[in-house]
Amino acid sequence: MKNILIIGSTGQIGTELAMALRKRYGNDHVVAGYIPSMPPKGELLESGPAEIVDITNAQQIADVVKKYQVDTIYNLAALLSAVAEQKPQLAWQIGLGGLFNTLEVARELGCAVFTPSSIGAFGPETPKDKTPQDTIQRPKTMYGVTKVSGELLSDYYFKRFGVDTRSVRFPGLISNVAPPGGGTTDYAVDIYYAAVKEGKFTCPIKPGTYMDMMYMPDALRACMDLMEADPSRLVHRNSFNIAAMSFAPEEIAAAVKKLMPELEVTYEVDPLRQGIAESWPNSLDDSCARAEWDWKPEYDLDSMSLDMIQTLKARFGK
Ligand code: SER
């Protein structure tokens, strides 16, 4: 039986991944690691063990790994791209210093490690459309610098020490449970909340700016399936391109308007986020993930929009 520690379990991905892992492996086998400023609440708190695990504190990680005989760590602690530009030193400490701590604990105590990378691991010199698995990266944001460095460090720990490290490059993730905090792709989450609550949305990204996106249920499945994949089939490890849909703001607006025709969208471009978005690919080629561990997304823009709107309408009584 697996024993899992999630570091960063109360963030956008962690909140839902913790519940999905508990469903798959049993409540007592999944420890929700959190920092005191982001404590677990509700179902996450009540359904299984939770422990303070600050990724910048290697001893804390090691203590929890030993206490619960953890064999797999999902490392989800990170600052998203726009916040990381405002706090680059902290982004490095958490993104790279934290990963180093996690990998060292994993090396000493024999754990597998999953760490998300991102479309942010690419840069302006990267081929923009159907970006290949192995290509020029050279990101220009601190977020991207931590992601590329993290990919390299994770591959190093696998080759040098045999630590079972695996990773995917996530697109922008769209979800309706925990909000993302300060990313460039957040607009594609915010539009659904704004549509349901206010009927209007001010978009910080220019029309015509394409980025890859994915609905959270597909993203959760990607993490779990990759960690269960047969290692003898894995040619790559850190990190796999995965993709589900690529759209520009006017296209998600049109998809939402099909369901809520009264939605009004205006544009007020945020130069920081726009600059970051323009340095990222339009769409990724995920054929290696498909070939090496049978990755396949289920949601497209229309099916995701329907689910988001139905869920949020029910939640807000609209
Ligand atoms: N969603 C992230 C961000 O926008 C990208 O991986 O920062």
Side-chain angles (χ1 to χ4, degrees), residues 187-188 191 200-207 248-250 252-253 264-270 274:
Y187 89 88
I191 189 171
K200 53 181 191 222
F201 177 60
T202 308
C203 184
I205 301 289
K206 263 188 217 161
E250 68 278 18
I252 186 173
E264 281 170 38
V265 178
T266 50
Y267 293 88
E268 218 169 89
V269 173
D270 168 11
Q274 183 63 34

Side-chain angles (χ1 to χ4, degrees), residues 207-267:
T209 312
Y210 281 83
M211 285 182 278
D212 258 327
M213 303 278 179
M214 183 177 290
Y215 199 29
M216 189 61 88
D218 280 333
L220 301 179
R221 214 165 29 78
C223 307
M224 296 189 290
D225 287 357
L226 175 57
M227 290 314 279
E228 283 191 352
D230 173 358
S232 69
R233 287 179 62 198
L234 300 181
V235 179
H236 298 86
R237 280 182 168 262
N238 303 283
S239 178
F240 282 96
N241 283 2
I242 55 170
M245 59 190 101
S246 164
F247 55 73
E250 68 278 18
E251 292 174 354
I252 186 173
V256 179
K257 277 188 195 173
K258 274 195 234 166
L259 303 160
M260 302 192 67
E262 64 285 3
L263 173 67
E264 281 170 38
V265 178
T266 50
Y267 293 88

Side-chain angles (χ1 to χ4, degrees), residues 68 133-134 140 237 284 293:
Y68 292 90
Q133 170 67 39
D134 302 311
K140 301 292 183 275
R237 280 182 168 262
L284 301 191
W293 49 281

Side-chain angles (χ1 to χ4, degrees), residues 70-151:
V70 166
D71 52 51
T72 305
I73 302 174
Y74 283 82
N75 161 26
L76 304 178
L79 298 188
L80 288 181
S81 56
V83 177
E85 279 318 288
Q86 276 143 6
K87 300 177 184 170
Q89 295 83 358
L90 183 62
W92 177 266
Q93 255 173 18
I94 293 172
L96 242 283
L99 174 61
F100 179 75
N101 291 340
T102 306
L103 291 170
E104 272 296 291
V105 171
R107 179 180 68 79
E108 281 174 8
L109 301 176
C111 305
V113 179
F114 175 88
T115 307
S117 185
S118 160
I119 51 172
F122 295 110
E125 292 103 12
T126 301
K128 275 215 166 307
D129 296 300
K130 290 276 164 209
T131 302
Q133 170 67 39
D134 302 311
T135 186
I136 302 166
Q137 296 195 249
R138 314 295 303 174
K140 301 292 183 275
T141 61
M142 178 49 100
Y143 181 69
V145 169
T146 65
K147 290 301 184 194
V148 175
S149 313
E151 292 183 7

Side-chain angles (χ1 to χ4, degrees), residues 12 80-82 117-120 143 170-173 182-186 280:
Q12 189 201 9
L80 288 181
S81 56
S117 185
S118 160
I119 51 172
Y143 181 69
F170 275 133
L173 296 182
T184 301
T185 56
D186 296 11
W280 289 353

